[in-house]
Amino acid sequence: MKKLIDTLQVIDNKRLNKEFFVLLLQSDKQLPEILPGQFVQVKVEGSPRTFLRRPISVYDVDYSQQSISLLIKIAGDGTRQLSKLIPGEKLNIIYPLGNSFSKPSDNRLLLIGGGTGVAPLLFLGKYLRKQYNIVPEFLLGYRSKDLAIELEKFEEIGKTYITTEDGSLGHKGFVIHHPILFDEKKEINMIYTCGPEVMMKEVAKYANNKNIACEVSLENLMGCGIGACLCCVVDTIDNGNVNTCTEGPIFNTKQLKWQI
Amino acid sequence: MADLITNISKLKLKNPVMTASGTFGFGTEYSDFIDLSKLGGIVVKGITPKPRQGNPYPRMVETASGMLNAVGLQNKGVDYFIEHIYPEISQYNTEIVVNINGGSIEEYCEVASKINNLDKVNAIELNISCPNVKQGGMLFGIHCPSAIAVTKAVRDVYNKTLIVKLSPNVTNIVEFAKAVEDNGADAVSLINTLLGMAINSRTRRPSLSTVTGGLSGPAIKPVALRMVWQVHKAVKIPVIGMGGIMNATDAIEFILAGASAIQIGTANFINPAITVEIVEGINDYLEQNKFKSISDLVGALEC
Ligand SMILES: Cc1cc2nc3c(=O)[nH]c(=O)nc-3n(C[C@H](O)[C@H](O)[C@H](O)COP(=O)(O)OP(=O)(O)OC[C@H]3O[C@@H](n4cnc5c(N)ncnc54)[C@H](O)[C@@H]3O)c2cc1C
Ligand SMILES: Cc1cc2nc3c(=O)[nH]c(=O)nc-3n(C[C@H](O)[C@H](O)[C@H](O)COP(=O)(O)O)c2cc1C
Ligand code: FES
């Protein structure tokens, strides 16, 4: 898949709450094919402290409008600068980057996300329905109700279970404590997960114990995003250190040397 | 079109723009973005005698106008390079320079003599300045008698263009440049990364798994420019300049300071098409300022 450098126009910048916003970006060219799990490398202008590009997952794609959206959490200077973009301004990105979630071998799928980790899962959910006619279920975790974002978009795709740490919405606790994970009658054959590393490790441990295939989306620090600097490596069982940006960001947890 | 042809001893480049080792993979990583045949040369990722896994993650952190890296020469070894990578990259219509590394003089010689047999590789860059490995690497580049010994030994087994890459982590870089010139180097390239460190106050831990790492990017440009200027004045062999070059203007500054060719490193991460843009920018500068040839600009600083 050919990678492109493109300057997109900001069509909309929707602030969802104090931490999250969604950028809607439009290209003046036809979009390349983008797969769920892939990311873009965003160039941040106007921040004296942001030098390298910032990797952000693709949240949604609309080929007819030649547009993509990104769900971003304000983490530091770079993302704060992006949160100030206004419609009409330009954003330079390199895309599409990385591999993608694999094709499911079964239709009983659970997509588990936490925080901005929900971003690639929305796109994956839409893709599963469209491409394979599979209706996935979501299990999404947030700190509190006010941080739970665009839930209706997930609910449109499939049944969506929620946990919040303070109990203000859905089940109280972390995703890993949600009752559906312990429901004997519920069959899950594959889990796709993205979120904070501690959460993904807990999910991987659960999947491992239950012998469920599990794919994670890693958020390693990146220098280039295109396989050139070898800064983003993760240690794997078969191949030692491999680049998260080209061999990942999606990995089957059986491949990772995670202590779980 | 101005004359951009650049000679680094016997190595003939179609223009002075090369890529810096470790920032450009083996070139293929960039072929979606640029036509590789427009480059003067590609310096490939550092090669060692045996495969190396490199240092543990985290290996990089962004700093003000730059980044620290501690990759630690991850590569699949010289034999893998010759068997699997060389056949592909030898097809490119540009000069391939192999960056040579080792933990001892014998190891440097082993890699150099194997690369000597490759028809399409006309030069090596002897890296005696990597700050991210425990053995060898920078130890050779910060101790003058060691720099001399390794240059001499590699000269004996390598008969094409030998470029020695110098470390900026010394008090007087001129002393090293002269010493390697006297012992068989055909050219010097500088600078490698500056030893640096970053701390995460929230976790109270170093940002890199190795605690210290190599600083690159625009943050190091003034230091690099000064060193290129000092070395150019002191040696007769060509100087290849690098360190924080982000655009054609930066590249021209290095050439004015005395660099016959330049290398682009970290800038490739931000704009993967920057190398070709810099070739065009240098040409525009020469034409606008009525220089016929790039060689007229080398060391043309007036002071
Ligand atoms: C493949 C990939 C996909 C990603 N997708 C998204 C996404 O869809 N939405 C989103 O909001 N974020 C995403 N991230 C994380 C995002 O890249 C970082 O939050 C961002 O780079 C921080 O930049 P900053 O300048 O705002 O913060 P900085 O000032 O650089 O850092 C602020 C804090 O964020 C932490 N941080 C920086 N980079 C990362 C990183 N790569 N991963 C985790 N923590 C980091 C730093 O350690 C620091 O504590 C993704 C990362 C990767 C590698
Ligand atoms: C991620 C990374 C990896 C590097 N690996 C090597 C290497 O293998 N061998 C080498 O001689 N220099 C290596 N370098 C140093 C660069 O070639 C160059 O000397 C330095 O980065 C300064 O140039 P810049 O500021 O344009 O990046 C590396 C630099 C970076 C950023
Ligand atoms: S970020 Fe450079 S190789 Fe992955």
Side-chain angles (χ1 to χ4, degrees), chain A residues 20 37 39 44 49-50 53-59 70-80 116-117 119-120 194 217-222 244 249, chain B residues 57 62 200 202:
Chain A
F20 295 101
F39 64 99
V44 182
R49 286 172 56 189
T50 308
R53 287 178 185 260
R54 295 295 189 259
I56 304 288
S57 303
V58 175
Y59 181 49
L70 308 176
L71 169 65
I72 305 176
K73 177 184 170 171
I74 299 177
D77 279 350
T79 46
R80 183 167 304 108
T116 48
C194 183
S217 177
L218 299 186
E219 293 200 350
N220 284 11
L221 293 170
M222 292 185 178
T244 303
Chain B
Y57 181 86
E62 184 175 313
N200 183 332
R202 193 171 44 79

Side-chain angles (χ1 to χ4, degrees), chain A residues 134-252:
Chain A
I134 294 174
V135 181
E137 295 190 339
F138 295 96
L139 170 55
L140 308 177
Y142 298 95
R143 284 207 308 280
S144 61
K145 183 180 172 182
D146 50 317
L147 296 175
I149 37 182
E150 305 208 299
L151 283 180
E152 64 296 344
K153 289 201 171 168
F154 293 88
E155 283 161 346
E156 258 170 43
I157 301 170
K159 188 153 179 47
T160 302
Y161 304 93
I162 305 289
T163 62
T164 49
E165 286 171 38
D166 64 359
S168 51
L169 187 70
H171 186 81
K172 182 171 184 216
F174 294 110
V175 284
I176 199 70
H177 303 132
H178 196 281
I180 58 152
L181 295 179
F182 306 96
D183 181 350
E184 296 293 330
K185 290 189 292 291
K186 180 138 201 99
E187 216 179 314
I188 307 168
N189 280 307
M190 175 123 194
I191 291 175
Y192 297 98
T193 183
C194 183
E197 189 165 305
V198 275
M199 180 205 97
M200 291 196 290
K201 283 189 170 160
E202 287 298 319
V203 172
K205 197 194 282 179
Y206 167 86
N208 203 31
N209 290 340
K210 295 239 170 184
N211 219 358
I212 302 171
C214 179
E215 285 186 356
V216 294
S217 177
L218 299 186
E219 293 200 350
N220 284 11
L221 293 170
M222 292 185 178
C224 67
I226 58 172
C229 72
L230 310 186
C231 286
C232 62
V233 291
V234 62
D235 201 2
T236 61
I237 291 173
D238 292 345
N239 297 309
N241 282 332
V242 302
N243 292 340
T244 303
C245 67
T246 49
E247 309 297 309
I250 314 300
F251 291 92
N252 189 306

Side-chain angles (χ1 to χ4, degrees), chain A residues 1-3 5 43 49-54 94 220-224 226-231 233 240-241, chain B residues 22-23 25 29-30 32-33 45 53 57 59-60 62 65-67 71 74 218 246 266 269-273:
Chain A
M1 208 179 292
K2 198 173 152 77
K3 305 178 188 99
I5 310 175
K43 188 163 170 220
R49 286 172 56 189
T50 308
F51 170 61
L52 297 167
R53 287 178 185 260
R54 295 295 189 259
I94 304 175
N220 284 11
L221 293 170
M222 292 185 178
C224 67
I226 58 172
C229 72
L230 310 186
C231 286
V233 291
N241 282 332
Chain B
T23 64
E29 291 80 355
Y30 287 85
D32 280 353
F33 308 108
K45 176 71 200 157
Q53 277 294 312
Y57 181 86
R59 288 179 173 183
M60 67 139 307
E62 184 175 313
S65 293
M67 64 179 277
V71 173
Q74 180 183 326
M246 296 300 286
T266 307
F269 302 160
I270 295 141
N271 178 2

Side-chain angles (χ1 to χ4, degrees), chain A residues 1-6 29 32-33 38 93-98 225-228 245-246, chain B residues 24 26-37 39 42 88 92 268 271-277:
Chain A
M1 208 179 292
K2 198 173 152 77
K3 305 178 188 99
L4 306 170
I5 310 175
D6 196 4
K29 295 187 267 299
E33 186 189 14
Q38 289 192 302
I93 66 170
I94 304 175
Y95 77 127
L97 302 175
I226 58 172
C245 67
T246 49
Chain B
F24 209 71
F26 292 103
T28 20
E29 291 80 355
Y30 287 85
S31 57
D32 280 353
F33 308 108
I34 55 168
D35 174 358
L36 297 171
S37 72
L39 301 177
I42 295 175
E88 190 185 343
Y92 302 159
N268 288 299
N271 178 2
I274 190 66
T275 43
V276 171
E277 291 174 18

Side-chain angles (χ1 to χ4, degrees), chain B residues 194-272:
Chain B
L194 274 161
L195 195 60
M197 170 171 176
I199 292 174
N200 183 332
S201 63
R202 193 171 44 79
T203 59
R204 293 191 283 280
R205 295 179 61 83
S207 301
L208 298 172
S209 69
T210 48
V211 185
T212 61
L215 183 63
S216 64
I220 69 172
K221 195 188 115 190
V223 176
L225 206 51
R226 181 265 292 178
M227 290 184 164
V228 165
W229 179 68
Q230 288 178 321
V231 168
H232 168 72
K233 285 193 302 178
V235 299
K236 293 187 189 66
I237 52 177
V239 177
I240 301 172
M242 80 194 89
I245 299 177
M246 296 300 286
N247 51 44
T249 310
D250 291 341
I252 287 158
E253 291 173 18
F254 274 83
I255 296 168
L256 287 170
S260 296
I262 47 106
Q263 293 182 9
I264 316 293
T266 307
N268 288 299
F269 302 160
I270 295 141
N271 178 2

